Amino acid sequence: MPQEIKGRIFNIQRFSIHDGPGIRTIVFFKGCFMRCAWCCNPESQRREIETLIEKDKEKTVGYDVTVSDIMPEILSDMTYYRRSGGGVTLSGGEVLCQADFARELLKTCKEEGLHTAVESAASAPFSEIEKILPYLDLYLMDIKHMDSQKHKEYTAVSNEIILQNARKIAQSGVELIIRTPVIPGFNDTPEEIKAISHFARTLPGVKEHHLLPYHRLGMDKYQGLGRNYSLKEIEPPTKEKMEYLLSVAETSGLKCKIGG
């Protein structure tokens, strides 16, 4: 049975007002193709179930579920979805690492009348993306840098397939919003932000570009996982810096905002 396909997740967050319109439930998938230096969910990167030390206590991160297992929790907030225009967002990690499970979860959510979204970097063969597009209302896609070498230096993967997939997703007719995490030393110059926003402007149907300021909220998790956080000396961008970069992005003609 399709609904019995197992997926590995590490959290379900209810009553979110981010990552899509209205009040949403976010399902966080475990496993990612990338290793972004600033990742605020390092426990999402590896597919394996892990132990995280949090406040001197051991916490198991990752568990296997079927669509049938988690739909009751998702559907318990139907009233809030309907009143706010919300729904369900799949995040991670990277949902495309488990595209078959993502497809079945999105399909079931659509059958229940829910608005569906994914937060994804689209760093996967387009054949994996095609599995989820028929059941998707909104694709929130990260484009982190236009330069492939610098992209690989900070994320461990190059960006060619990402940029190709951005155009294919846009051409599919699914609503596509481009988002860029603004990371000091990586992509926070006006030239770099302008390049991303002007590329986004060339994608059919894309109307919005969101700038997401770097933060340190996940830094303690690295220590809890026994890993090094390489950006510990980096300060978050100031409000003034973000507003300046926003004005630069707006030269593309897209609707741009800080946060997403």
Side-chain angles (χ1 to χ4, degrees):
M1 295 289 291
Q3 284 204 5
E4 300 311 308
I5 293 175
K6 284 192 175 182
R8 182 163 291 176
I9 66 175
F10 68 95
N11 192 25
I12 298 177
Q13 180 181 321
R14 297 167 61 192
F15 308 116
S16 175
I17 55 171
H18 304 289
D19 301 320
I23 296 172
R24 309 191 70 79
T25 295
I26 304 180
V27 181
F28 290 89
F29 282 42
K30 198 164 184 348
C32 188
F33 300 119
M34 293 186 177
R35 295 293 181 267
C36 299
W38 59 88
C39 181
C40 63
N41 288 327
E43 74 275 33
S44 75
Q45 293 179 345
R46 297 174 181 168
R47 178 71 183 271
E48 297 80 13
I49 295 173
E50 299 176 276
T51 299
L52 170 68
I53 307 299
E54 191 172 65
K55 297 179 181 179
D56 297 323
K57 294 182 179 180
E58 289 190 355
K59 175 183 176 182
T60 299
V61 182
Y63 55 101
D64 294 332
V65 295
T66 65
V67 173
S68 299
D69 291 332
I70 60 177
M71 283 307 295
E73 183 171 359
I74 291 172
L75 294 176
S76 66
D77 293 325
M78 284 291 287
T79 300
Y80 299 103
Y81 306 146
R82 288 170 177 160
R83 289 178 178 175
S84 67
V88 174
T89 299
L90 309 188
S91 186
E94 172 56 71
V95 301
L96 297 175
C97 288
Q98 303 181 65
D100 290 334
F101 177 65
R103 177 192 62 222
E104 294 307 320
L105 181 53
L106 291 168
K107 180 181 179 182
T108 303
C109 288
K110 289 306 297 177
E111 289 171 349
E112 295 289 346
L114 298 180
H115 180 279
T116 58
V118 297
E119 181 185 17
S120 165
S123 178
F126 190 69
S127 58
E128 297 298 283
I129 298 173
E130 284 183 306
K131 293 178 180 179
I132 67 172
L133 289 179
Y135 313 107
L136 195 59
D137 293 308
L138 173 62
Y139 205 120
L140 299 165
M141 181 179 177
D142 274 14
I143 294 185
K144 309 175 198 301
H145 211 287
M146 294 303 295
D147 181 85
S148 184
Q149 183 175 349
K150 196 167 187 182
H151 192 280
K152 187 171 185 178
E153 179 184 350
Y154 278 77
T155 72
V157 301
S158 58
N159 70 353
E160 288 87 355
I161 192 172
I162 294 169
L163 300 182
Q164 293 167 13
N165 284 338
R167 193 162 301 282
K168 291 177 181 178
I169 294 167
Q171 291 169 342
S172 77
V174 170
E175 182 182 2
L176 175 62
I177 293 176
I178 301 303
R179 309 204 299 184
T180 301
V182 177
I183 314 299
F186 170 58
N187 64 358
D188 67 332
T189 68
E191 293 80 11
E192 289 165 318
I193 294 299
K194 181 179 180 180
I196 296 170
S197 202
H198 281 253
F199 170 78
R201 183 67 180 85
T202 71
L203 301 174
V206 170
K207 299 176 181 178
E208 297 186 37
H209 182 202
H210 300 171
L211 304 182
L212 313 179
Y214 165 75
H215 58 75
R216 294 172 165 178
L217 297 180
M219 187 166 64
D220 291 344
K221 296 179 184 179
Y222 286 81
Q223 183 176 355
L225 291 166
R227 301 184 207 167
N228 177 56
Y229 184 67
S230 62
L231 301 185
K232 60 176 66 75
E233 305 301 325
I234 300 298
E235 294 289 337
T238 64
K239 179 181 177 182
E240 291 75 17
K241 178 66 175 286
M242 289 301 303
E243 289 176 347
Y244 171 57
L245 294 177
L246 177 66
S247 69
V248 171
E250 288 173 333
T251 64
S252 66
L254 295 176
K255 177 183 178 182
C256 300
K257 71 173 187 176
I258 297 170

